Structure formats: structure tokens, C-alpha cells
Amino acid sequence: LVDWSNVPSTAPTTSPTFLTTGQSRVSVFRTDWSTTSDYLMMSAGVDSPGTLFPPFVSLPAFHSHNDTGEILVAAKGQYILVSPGYNRTDLPTSPPGMNLQVADHHNVILVDGNVGSTTANVGGGPNLGQFQRPENFVHTNRLDSTEFGNFKGVSDFATLQMNYNNTEVRRNTAFAGEDYFVVADRMMSATSHTYGFNLIGRGTQSVVQNSPDHMEVTWELNGSSVRQHLYSTGPMSLLTDTKLMHVSFGQFETTYRMLANITGQNELFLSVMETGSAGESSSLDITELAVVSGALALRVDHLTEPWVDTILTQLGHQPITAGSLTTDANYGYLRETASGLVSLMIAEGTFVDRLGED
């Protein structure tokens, strides 16, 4: 036992990235360790163990929320992109028909509106979905600045692979220069599906841009904001509506959802999540770079700081050039200033070059 009131508090001196290696597989990226930090968390989720024990009956889950691969985001200490909380339908104050366990209440990739089969798939076939466990997940090497020589400000990185509705879904999260968050989603299937990028936030929601190739949506709460820039390989359609969040015992809050849908077989979403103060304009000028089919690349210019970033993600491992960056990686990142190269990284690839220099 530890008396925490007598333990001196000391802030860590290394980059505040947290990548767990146990069952939970949680990743957290933070700007710092203060109570006003920006952070993004990616959770693998814990679903029903229905296929683990003979006679392979569907057992009630310990958690039961369909939140596989969920991301949560805070801006300046304000929890804005949220999970809906406990599914308390047994309270007199519970709204009629409320179900906080379903997938469309969570910040996940939806495949045909859900995250998999509602019946246990004995043998661990392609529709793990709601019965997927952390041990089913596939993780690539997670790059963390502490583990890799304390290269703070490169781009800490984590990836989570899921399989549901006959689709392989890979969600990559990154912390580009520790300035903004990147979420790259790869959906691969032998058949066509409707893929949905689902986000739910608190506060005031505003649709800044709604076009088939670029969605921009903001949420503002208590002086802080999250701005979502979303791009994809297919034409997007946007749905906005309200959901509910269970704040504390007997208290529920209205939340505001965005759902961007695309239809296809093998598709990509590439998202830049910008945190800041409410009422501010975006500090990023983002341009979609022309690249080959099956890949997305963005140029990110900061309007007041001297750097420019290139971010690339792709389904396969083709050598692709986007701006100054050439790589065969599934995720690539490059930061430059007028004086030259600042930092770069790749994940799930074999080479990278800048302007022809290996």
C-alpha cells in the first residue's frame, strides 16, 4: 500500500507518450503532463468472450460496448471527443430507448453501420466484431520517443488492426511533431462496403466545410476546441445528429455526432485533428496532394510557425512520391523548414527519401 499524499509529484522529463504492452493495448499521446494538456487516446476495447470457452456460448461481456479502436480527444484539458459512458437504462432519469453500447455512439470506424456480427463466430473467422478480444488484435511496432532515443517531436505512432464484417480495418494514430494528431484508417475487403468515420463530441458543433473530398467539423466547449479535418479516397457524405453521454449517476448530456460515409472495397480515411481555443480559426493550411490510387497524402502548412509537414498513408507498399517525401511505407511523415529537413519517420515500410536523397 502507498500513501499517495506523501509521495512527491514529479513531472516526467521525456515525451508524454504512453503505449501499453499488456492486454489493454492502449495508446495515449499528450502535449504535456499538466491538467490543461491536449491528448488523444486510442483504445482497443474489450468485447464479449463468447468464443473463448466450450461449448462456445455467447456470454455476457464484462464491458459490452462496441468500441473497438475508439479514439478520445481532449483540448486544453477539456474532454471533447468522448465515449458515452455507462449504459444505465435502469434509472428513472434514463432517456427512453437509450443504448450507449452500440457502435454508432463511439468514435470508431463503422463497416455497414456496425462493428461486426452480433452472434459468436466459433473458430475466430472473419466476423469477430463484437466478440473480438485484445489478444485477437494485430499490432505493428509502436514507435515511442522514449523507446527510440527520446526523439521528441518526430511523430510518435501506434497502430491497431481489427477484422469485422469481412473487412480488415487498420487504425493508425500519430502525434505529428507533437503539434496535432493524425488518424489514418485503412479498410480492406474482398467486397464493397459502406465505411463510416464516426466522431461524437461535446459542446457546440459547427460544420465548417462539407464537400465530397474534404470535411471540416469543430466542437467547442468551455473555451477549448477540436477541429477535425477529414479526407478520403472516395466521395464522402456527411450526417450530423445528436446522441447521449452518461456524465455521472443519473445525469445525461446531449452530444453531437459527425458520420462521414464512403462506399467501396479498399478505401482510406486520413484525418488531422487540431486542438485550440474556441472561436479561433484554423492555424493549419491543409492541401491534399495528388497521389496514386490506394494512397492519400496531405501537405500541412502552419500559418504562423515556419514548418511544413507531409503526411502519407497507403493501403499497400508502392513507392509513392508526395511533395518532398518518397516511401513505400503504410505511414510516412516529413517536416521541413526553409532551411531544410527537420525530422521524418516511416512505419510499416522499407525506405524513405527526401527530394531524391535516400
Side-chain angles (χ1 to χ4, degrees):
L1 298 178
V2 177
D3 180 2
W4 293 108
S5 63
N6 290 323
V7 176
S9 175
T10 304
T13 57
T14 58
S15 178
T17 298
F18 178 69
L19 306 175
T20 68
T21 56
Q23 184 194 46
S24 62
R25 309 290 189 185
V26 170
S27 304
V28 180
F29 303 139
R30 298 179 65 97
T31 51
D32 55 51
W33 293 95
S34 72
T35 58
T36 58
S37 172
D38 299 330
Y39 73 76
L40 177 145
M41 185 186 89
M42 177 171 64
S43 171
V46 180
D47 298 320
S48 171
T51 63
L52 297 184
F53 310 105
F56 300 104
V57 295
S58 177
L59 301 176
F62 314 122
H63 175 64
S64 297
H65 282 233
N66 297 301
D67 57 354
T68 307
E70 180 163 54
I71 54 175
L72 308 174
V73 177
K76 300 185 182 302
Q78 294 294 318
Y79 182 37
I80 294 181
L81 297 185
V82 297
S83 187
Y86 291 104
N87 190 47
R88 294 304 302 266
T89 59
D90 58 339
L91 302 175
T93 54
S94 298
M98 182 188 70
N99 184 359
L100 304 185
Q101 295 172 311
V102 296
D104 63 10
H105 277 66
H106 294 272
N107 301 325
V108 297
I109 292 294
L110 303 176
V111 180
D112 301 322
N114 209 330
V115 290
S117 172
T118 58
T119 58
N121 187 4
V122 178
N127 280 326
L128 292 170
Q130 295 171 355
F131 294 88
Q132 188 154 325
R133 302 285 294 161
E135 56 264 29
N136 299 129
F137 302 144
V138 176
H139 300 267
T140 62
N141 293 328
R142 291 157 158 237
L143 306 183
D144 173 51
S145 61
T146 301
E147 297 171 357
F148 287 82
N150 196 24
F151 295 130
K152 180 175 180 178
V154 178
S155 180
D156 296 1
F157 176 86
T159 184
L160 177 69
Q161 178 179 316
M162 302 151 275
N163 195 310
Y164 52 84
N165 276 7
N166 295 299
T167 303
E168 180 181 301
V169 179
R170 282 185 158 229
R171 168 154 275 185
N172 307 117
T173 52
F175 196 12
E178 301 194 359
D179 292 302
Y180 58 88
F181 303 110
V182 179
V183 181
D185 295 297
R186 289 175 279 161
M187 295 78 65
M188 292 162 280
S189 178
T191 57
S192 181
H193 298 274
T194 297
Y195 301 123
F197 186 90
N198 202 65
L199 277 189
I200 294 175
R202 301 171 65 204
T204 301
Q205 183 191 61
S206 301
V207 177
V208 180
Q209 182 164 343
N210 178 6
S211 60
D213 60 348
H214 178 204
M215 301 285 182
E216 187 175 333
V217 180
T218 64
W219 293 264
E220 297 183 341
L221 178 70
N222 295 332
S224 300
S225 71
V226 172
R227 183 179 298 267
Q228 165 63 54
H229 307 266
L230 182 65
Y231 299 82
S232 72
T233 49
M236 294 182 287
S237 61
L238 179 65
L239 167 71
T240 59
D241 61 7
T242 60
K243 298 292 182 183
L244 288 167
M245 175 182 176
H246 185 193
V247 181
S248 60
F249 185 80
Q251 296 184 340
F252 300 86
E253 178 183 328
T254 299
T255 54
Y256 301 89
R257 175 170 77 138
M258 70 163 283
L259 172 62
N261 281 321
I262 59 177
T263 299
Q265 182 177 336
N266 300 310
E267 302 290 348
L268 287 158
F269 287 115
L270 184 54
S271 166
V272 168
M273 293 186 177
E274 182 184 2
T275 55
S277 299
E280 288 182 340
S281 300
S282 174
S283 61
L284 303 177
D285 180 17
I286 303 176
T287 306
E288 187 172 5
L289 300 175
V291 294
V292 300
S293 176
L296 272 176
L298 301 177
R299 175 188 167 107
V300 182
D301 288 87
H302 199 280
L303 297 179
T304 58
E305 296 182 16
W307 51 260
V308 56
D309 289 354
T310 302
I311 303 167
L312 183 148
T313 184
Q314 64 167 314
L315 294 168
H317 291 282
Q318 301 180 67
I320 294 176
T321 298
S324 303
L325 173 68
T326 301
T327 184
D328 67 346
N330 287 146
Y331 174 84
Y333 165 80
L334 177 74
R335 173 163 291 189
E336 301 168 287
T337 64
S339 58
L341 175 66
V342 176
S343 57
L344 62 83
M345 68 159 283
I346 60 170
E348 302 171 67
T350 64
F351 80 93
V352 58
D353 75 43
R354 172 182 177 265
L355 299 174
E357 181 181 0
D358 192 13

